[in-house]
Amino acid sequence: MKTLFFWLFPLVILTDCIGPLVQVGSLHAGHLKYGILLLATVLTAPHWRLTLPVVAVLGFLVYVTGLAFLASDWGNSLNGAMRLWLALSMYPVAVSVLRSWQDVTAFLRLLMVGAFVLVLTFGAAQVYPWGWEGYMRGSGFSYGGMGVYATYAMVYLTLAAAVSLPLVRSKRRRLLALAVYGLAAMIVLVSFRRSAMAGLAVGGCALVVLGGVRLSMGRTLAGLGVLIPIAAACFFLFGEKVTQLYASRAVEGVHFEMASRYGRVAETEKVWRDFTGGSPRHMLFGTEFSNATDIFEWKLNDRRIHVDYNVILDGAGAVGLGAFLLVYLLIALRFRASYRRLLRSRLATGLHALFWALLAASLVFSASNQLWVTVPYGLFFALLGALQRAAEVLPAKRAAAARAGVPLLRAPLPLPPTTPARSHARPA
């Protein structure tokens, strides 16, 4: 089971990317990802550790599944609930499968294969386009079977490189991995997927501020030596597309979101008005979970509600949104408790910085839409589970003190009181 989990995300990323290339009727290879993720979930479920975060995950998933059966189009609603099951379940799967630091290391190292597949798919799709096109259809970039949401997976993998790169022992492989992650970051930037760019920026800042990445002069120059040629090649090959995407996404796109009746601002206002003016039942439990395109006549037929928080508030109510945020909170609190007991080291600091960087990036992605993108969202929860296990198996302060044979002191012992020196001279 460990071997399957080590290769799980490279495998599902591959099936998702090549999906439209291997198609039989309405089914294609991309659908295999659901079966692979479901297999990993079912095989490990009897061994899940029922910690508070895992119980919160299960509670939220059972709740939205119950709402799905109450929807008018329960098939469509169950489809949304199923995607959440497969994605959020990756946290308890990772916590249960990864038993040692060696397991965590193997999982993190093999993620580079997934990053390589994404980068290779993007390059090949520019020569022979397939799958879902991104923006400016017909003249923009093609991303293969995962579509433009591949940028979310690239962001998660690029952030995880802060911990996984130092684990690569060979300098040649480390340089190759750095080039792959550099290309992934560059693809995110030239794609102008605004939420992906914001997530990469926020997560990167968190890594630097929390000490996960040390910006020494040597490392900065080495990084620039890899990234500048990559950037130059990308803009030489795709400069015209990048310029057009910038005008479409950064200029016109922002205006659309702010002013259009189909934009995120209008969407949030509509959801909030329906929430505050709705019945107590709607406020608490929502209406028609995952069927937003059916009940919002003002929406385009092929455009879902684009903000995850709006999706859950409208479809699952205040109870659902509270349960969703509680999952994040309990996962964060458990990691924080495990990290506080760790012996401070460069590795522990990196794990701590990466955890908060991933969490910040995911919350940014949910301001766009992430719930329906099973593979990147599942990757996020698997990474959180791996970091949790790492914080549990790495050396703790108490264990280090025991090995050294010294007591573990939370504060220095008080100094003994000073007394005036006594004269020892004999009386005359």
Side-chain angles (χ1 to χ4, degrees), residues 8-307:
L8 181 64
F9 284 96
L11 186 58
V12 295
I13 287 173
L14 177 62
T15 58
D16 210 3
C17 286
I18 68 171
L21 297 178
V22 184
Q23 189 162 356
V24 179
S26 60
L27 298 177
H28 58 75
H31 293 120
L32 289 173
K33 64 178 180 285
Y34 301 119
I36 297 170
L37 292 171
L38 179 62
L39 179 65
T41 302
V42 171
L43 291 179
T44 61
H47 307 289
W48 286 5
R49 300 161 54 204
L50 295 181
T51 59
L52 276 178
V54 174
V55 171
V57 166
L58 291 174
F60 173 70
L61 293 176
V62 169
Y63 173 71
V64 295
T65 304
L67 293 179
F69 281 108
L70 299 176
S72 58
D73 184 357
W74 59 268
N76 183 54
S77 194
L78 274 177
N79 179 44
M82 177 206 70
R83 293 171 182 271
L84 286 174
W85 268 97
L86 294 178
L88 272 69
S89 293
M90 290 301 104
Y91 176 81
V93 168
V95 171
S96 64
V97 170
L98 303 177
R99 301 295 181 87
S100 65
W101 171 243
Q102 287 73 24
D103 293 344
V104 175
T105 300
F107 172 71
L108 293 176
R109 282 177 179 168
L110 286 174
L111 289 180
M112 190 189 75
V113 179
F116 179 76
V117 170
L118 288 169
V119 170
L120 184 62
T121 298
F122 178 83
Q126 308 319 306
V127 179
Y128 176 74
W130 80 86
W132 297 345
E133 283 189 278
Y135 308 108
M136 295 174 54
R137 295 179 181 178
S139 59
F141 291 114
S142 181
Y143 296 86
M146 198 181 294
V148 73
Y149 293 106
T151 54
Y152 285 174
M154 291 179 185
V155 171
Y156 287 137
L157 292 170
T158 301
L159 294 176
V163 170
S164 61
L165 271 179
L167 300 177
V168 180
R169 297 176 182 176
S170 168
K171 291 184 178 180
R172 183 178 300 176
R173 291 183 180 179
R174 194 179 304 130
L175 184 61
L176 173 63
L178 180 61
V180 169
Y181 290 123
L183 279 169
M186 190 57 59
I187 291 170
V188 172
L189 296 178
V190 301
S191 297
F192 284 100
R193 174 79 183 170
R194 294 185 300 262
S195 54
M197 296 171 68
L200 181 61
V202 171
C205 288
L207 280 174
V208 173
V209 170
L210 296 176
V213 176
R214 292 180 295 179
L215 295 179
S216 65
M217 182 61 70
R219 291 188 176 188
T220 302
L221 292 176
L224 291 176
V226 174
L227 294 178
I228 289 177
I230 292 175
C234 287
F235 281 96
F236 175 76
L237 294 171
F238 310 117
E240 185 177 351
K241 287 185 179 182
V242 172
T243 302
Q244 293 175 353
L245 278 169
Y246 173 78
S248 173
R249 299 289 298 160
V251 180
E252 298 174 11
V254 173
H255 176 74
F256 171 86
E257 296 295 350
M258 299 297 295
S260 172
R261 62 195 293 255
Y262 304 120
R264 288 173 175 82
V265 173
E267 165 193 305
T268 303
E269 292 175 350
K270 178 68 166 65
V271 170
W272 182 250
R273 285 198 303 269
D274 285 359
F275 173 75
T276 56
S279 65
R281 180 187 179 279
H282 175 73
M283 295 179 68
L284 286 174
F285 308 113
T287 307
E288 297 282 349
F289 177 74
S290 188
N291 284 337
T293 53
D294 298 329
I295 63 174
F296 283 92
E297 297 177 357
W298 54 278
K299 299 295 286 184
L300 294 172
N301 290 332
D302 62 345
R303 180 180 170 93
R304 293 179 179 272
I305 289 182
H306 262 48
V307 180

Side-chain angles (χ1 to χ4, degrees), residues 335-397:
F335 177 81
R336 180 174 177 269
S338 299
Y339 172 73
R340 292 180 68 180
R341 56 172 283 280
L342 282 182
L343 178 68
R344 293 296 182 267
S345 64
R346 176 69 196 142
L347 178 59
T349 302
L351 294 172
H352 177 257
L354 176 58
F355 179 90
W356 295 109
L358 291 170
L359 200 65
S362 181
L363 291 173
V364 170
F365 292 164
S366 284
S368 180
N369 53 340
Q370 182 179 217
L371 297 182
W372 321 117
V373 195
T374 309
V375 172
Y377 205 31
L379 173 63
F380 162 70
F381 281 104
L383 281 168
L384 292 191
L387 295 176
Q388 175 61 45
R389 283 303 292 149
E392 292 173 353
V393 301
L394 285 177
K397 298 175 185 176

Side-chain angles (χ1 to χ4, degrees), residues 311-324:
V311 172
I312 298 174
L313 182 63
D314 181 76
V319 173
L321 184 58
F324 175 71

